[in-house]
């Protein structure tokens, strides 16, 4: 095991996979000598050259389109987008082309393409650079959605994504890049898609969260413990495929569910989980599930307003107490 930042765990896995498979290469804005805005490709060009760590024009449509074409011809591209907010510029390539190609060709075509980049709050990047957009990509069949919350999960999930023969949308969080954690040194360390992680066991309430909010859910669980409430915290890790079995089993034990995410509450992925739990485990519920998410407004530039628009630890504690009828 080595202690690494979330960003360095991502960088090291890309380097290892490029050494393992010469078809793997990286392309994106400023990924070469700058090493990306958050340093996830730092110095990789020195080992692999500028053919395999390739700067691109400032055009997400062109970057993703080139990635789709490269994947179709047998390469295994990793496309870095500076902000995942800008996936919308390339939605035709992602949703109408890459996500559907394997289906259209009866399973004979492969699209081994990873689209990775960061999203989220924490730096006051305002309305068009702070969104959490992973929910949107759950809707379209033909792609997978990964959301690591720790350095180890970032490493294991990214390695799995690079080796997958399908389009993977890999969502990182800007506020997690500097956080450190233990990461296995094994170059074959993989985190399987579709397997949630129980970050903390509990008996009274199930809290499901992803990315930055896993840490906030654990903070809330620690506070609830002081109040005599045992919270189970689950990180889905991948939204597609989604491990509902682990979540449903937890709710059958606790009888209560709180889902919290940074994405907007309206039509967020928490709604899908709440609906599935209600359908699969209704007789076990002792209270209606509660969903927490960002307010239905563009994210503010001001950090105080940003905090006001997104769930805080106190909100998670309050929701857990509410489903237990403590407030």
């Amino acid at each position: 095991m080595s202690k690494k930042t979330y960003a360095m765990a991502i960088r090291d896995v890309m380097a290892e996979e490029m050494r393992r498979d010469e078809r793997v290469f990286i392309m994106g804005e400023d990924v070469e000598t700058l090493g990306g805005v958050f340093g996830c490709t730092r110095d990789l060009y020195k080992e692999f050259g500028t053919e395999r760590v390739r700067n691109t024009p400032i055009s997400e449509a062109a970057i993703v389109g080139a990635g789709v074409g490269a994947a179709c011809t047998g390469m295994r591209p990793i496309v870095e987008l500076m902000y995942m907010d800008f996936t919308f510029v390339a939605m035709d390539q992602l949703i109408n082309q890459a996500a559907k190609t394997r289906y259209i060709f009866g399973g004979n075509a492969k699209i081994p393409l990873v689209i990775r980049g960061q999203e989220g709050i924490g730096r006051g990047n305002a309305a068009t650079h702070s969104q959490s957009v992973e929910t949107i990509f759950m809707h379209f069949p033909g792609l997978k959605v990964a959301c690591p919350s720790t350095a180890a999960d970032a490493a294991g999930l990214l390695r799995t994504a690079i080796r997958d023969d399908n389009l993977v949308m890999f969502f990182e969080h800007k506020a997690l890049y500097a956080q450190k954690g233990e990461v296995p040194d094994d170059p074959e360390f993989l985190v399987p898609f579709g397997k949630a992680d129980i970050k903390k066991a509990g008996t009274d309430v199930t809290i499901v969260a992803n990315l930055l909010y896993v840490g906030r859910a654990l903070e809330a669980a620690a506070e609830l413990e002081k109040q005599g409430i045992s919270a189970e915290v689950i990180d889905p890790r991948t939204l597609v495929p989604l491990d509902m079995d682990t979540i449903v089993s937890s709710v059958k034990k606790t009888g209560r569910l709180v889902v919290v995410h940074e994405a907007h509450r309206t039509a967020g992925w928490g709604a899908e989980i709440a609906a599935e739990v209600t359908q699969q485990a209704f007789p076990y519920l002792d209270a209606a599930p509660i969903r927490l998410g960002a307010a239905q407004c563009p994210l503010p530039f001001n950090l105080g307003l940003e905090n006001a628009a997104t769930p805080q630890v106190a909100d998670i504690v309050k929701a857990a107490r509410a489903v237990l009828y403590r407030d």
Side-chain angles (χ1 to χ4, degrees), residues 235-298:
D235 177 2
R237 298 199 288 198
T238 60
L239 297 179
V240 181
L242 178 60
D243 180 7
M244 281 305 306
D245 289 344
T246 295
I247 296 169
V248 169
S249 294
S250 177
V251 173
K252 285 181 176 180
K253 175 177 64 175
T254 65
R256 296 167 175 87
L257 172 67
V258 173
V259 186
V260 55
H261 52 60
E262 190 178 312
H264 295 293
R265 180 182 179 276
T266 301
W269 60 261
E272 181 68 19
I273 287 179
E276 283 293 331
V277 165
T278 302
Q279 183 171 323
Q280 296 184 39
F282 183 77
Y284 296 87
L285 286 170
D286 294 317
I290 290 180
R291 295 177 291 130
L292 299 176
Q296 201 64 14
C297 68

Side-chain angles (χ1 to χ4, degrees), residues 279-325:
Q279 183 171 323
Q280 296 184 39
F282 183 77
Y284 296 87
L285 286 170
D286 294 317
I290 290 180
R291 295 177 291 130
L292 299 176
Q296 201 64 14
C297 68
L299 288 160
F301 168 73
N302 177 276
L303 286 173
L305 292 176
E306 182 183 82
N307 288 338
T310 52
Q312 303 301 305
V313 172
D315 299 316
I316 304 172
V317 171
K318 182 178 180 180
R321 290 180 59 85
V323 294
L324 285 157
Y325 304 109

Side-chain angles (χ1 to χ4, degrees), residues 61-237:
I63 302 167
V64 173
V68 174
C72 285
T73 58
M75 301 297 286
R76 306 189 77 88
I78 303 168
V79 171
E80 176 175 304
L81 298 183
M82 198 173 286
Y83 289 84
M84 292 301 261
D85 307 68
F86 302 151
T87 50
F88 304 132
V89 181
M91 286 299 271
D92 181 62
Q93 289 89 334
L94 291 170
I95 303 307
N96 284 333
Q97 306 303 324
K100 295 176 172 62
T101 296
R102 195 162 194 183
Y103 171 81
I104 290 170
F105 286 92
N108 294 311
K110 296 178 181 179
I111 308 293
L113 170 63
V114 177
I115 307 291
R116 53 158 294 270
Q118 55 77 34
E119 63 174 18
I121 60 171
R123 288 166 53 97
N125 289 154
T128 62
H129 293 72
S130 300
Q131 299 169 96
S132 293
V133 300
E134 68 272 19
T135 294
I136 291 165
F137 295 93
M138 291 180 71
H139 183 73
F140 301 99
L143 51 78
K144 300 180 180 182
V145 180
C147 302
S149 65
T150 66
D153 285 344
L157 288 171
L158 182 56
R159 188 175 281 112
T160 301
I162 293 169
R163 298 184 187 186
D164 200 294
D165 285 334
N166 301 284
L167 169 61
V168 178
M169 303 297 297
F170 198 87
F171 291 89
E172 301 152 19
H173 198 289
K174 60 170 67 73
L176 294 176
Y177 279 134
Q179 291 192 12
K180 290 186 176 181
E182 295 290 335
V183 179
D185 294 322
D186 182 2
E188 294 299 315
F189 169 63
L190 300 162
V191 172
F193 285 6
K195 182 61 179 174
D197 187 23
I198 299 174
K199 298 294 188 184
K200 177 189 173 298
T203 57
D204 296 328
V205 57
T206 300
I207 302 175
V208 182
N210 78 333
L211 290 168
L212 181 67
Y213 276 80
V214 173
R216 293 190 178 185
L218 289 169
E219 288 183 51
E223 177 58 34
L224 289 164
E225 204 75 45
K226 298 175 186 175
Q227 302 175 23
I229 298 170
S230 175
E232 183 148 290
V233 177
I234 298 177
D235 177 2
R237 298 199 288 198

